[in-house]
Amino acid sequence: MSRVAHCIDNGPMEGFWGILKREMYYGKRFTSKDALIAAIESYIQYYNTQRIQRKLHLMTPVEYYENYYAAA
């Protein structure tokens, strides 16, 4: 985390929370806190391993890192 009045790390996290809410939260109804926590954990697993991302040249993170280490 950055120091007070230096919010350089705030932008990427705000972007992530926006994506999470748009893709996982909006339009769904959760009946308990445990169901919401499980859905968030599942989405983060999906986001980190299976979601195609533009910044990774339209590959999943797993594909990108496999290609990166194969080229090295």
Side-chain angles (χ1 to χ4, degrees):
M1 298 298 292
S2 62
R3 297 178 297 163
V4 174
H6 294 89
C7 60
I8 195 162
D9 61 344
N10 195 30
M13 284 311 301
E14 290 292 331
F16 171 75
W17 289 119
I19 291 168
L20 182 136
K21 289 189 284 187
R22 184 176 63 241
E23 293 182 359
M24 189 278 307
Y25 181 74
Y26 293 142
K28 295 190 174 76
R29 187 176 185 122
F30 297 96
T31 57
S32 69
K33 181 179 174 182
D34 293 330
L36 176 62
I37 291 171
I40 291 171
E41 289 174 349
S42 174
Y43 181 79
I44 291 174
Q45 177 68 24
Y46 162 76
Y47 185 89
N48 286 331
T49 59
Q50 299 173 355
R51 184 177 179 269
I52 293 173
Q53 299 185 20
R54 186 177 300 152
K55 67 182 177 185
L56 300 178
H57 309 289
L58 299 176
M59 290 187 263
T60 68
V62 172
E63 291 172 336
Y64 182 81
Y65 291 113
E66 286 174 352
N67 289 337
Y68 176 80
Y69 287 118

